[in-house]
Amino acid sequence: MEDFISFILGIASGMQEGHGLRPVYSVVPTDPMNEWTAEKLKGYRGDGPVRMGNAAVEQTQHDSYGSIILAAMPMFFDRRLPRPG
């Protein structure tokens, strides 16, 4: 849990000025999240197209800030953590 909280807070503190928080991040920061269509794949029960990636990476969604607050909350209230917030 501490590693996850560190990951989330690292994202929040690493935001560039003028750029908001993105709604999705890759677990591997260097992996691209651009959305593209795999034309040769049929998809589930033939209901294509199959899309890879996530176009939400380019969107602005302000509810992401609340998700960070909820993820960081145990740092301040969970007494089992060796490094409290």
Side-chain angles (χ1 to χ4, degrees):
M1 181 170 66
E2 288 178 295
D3 290 341
F4 173 71
I5 292 169
S6 293
F7 175 74
I8 296 297
L9 293 178
I11 288 171
S13 65
M15 291 186 313
Q16 298 173 1
E17 191 170 318
H19 293 72
L21 190 63
R22 296 186 317 220
V24 293
Y25 288 86
S26 174
V27 174
V28 179
T30 57
D31 285 356
M33 296 270 307
N34 301 338
E35 187 173 295
W36 57 279
T37 303
E39 301 290 340
K40 294 185 179 184
L41 297 177
K42 293 182 180 183
Y44 179 71
R45 293 189 177 181
D47 292 335
V50 173
R51 298 186 188 279
M52 309 291 245
N54 195 327
V57 73
E58 301 297 328
Q59 297 175 357
T60 300
Q61 295 180 7
H62 298 290
D63 62 335
S64 301
Y65 294 98
S67 297
I68 286 183
I69 292 168
L70 289 175
M73 191 171 58
M75 284 183 10
F76 302 98
F77 297 105
D78 193 336
R79 295 177 188 211
R80 297 172 294 170
L81 294 175
R83 297 178 296 165

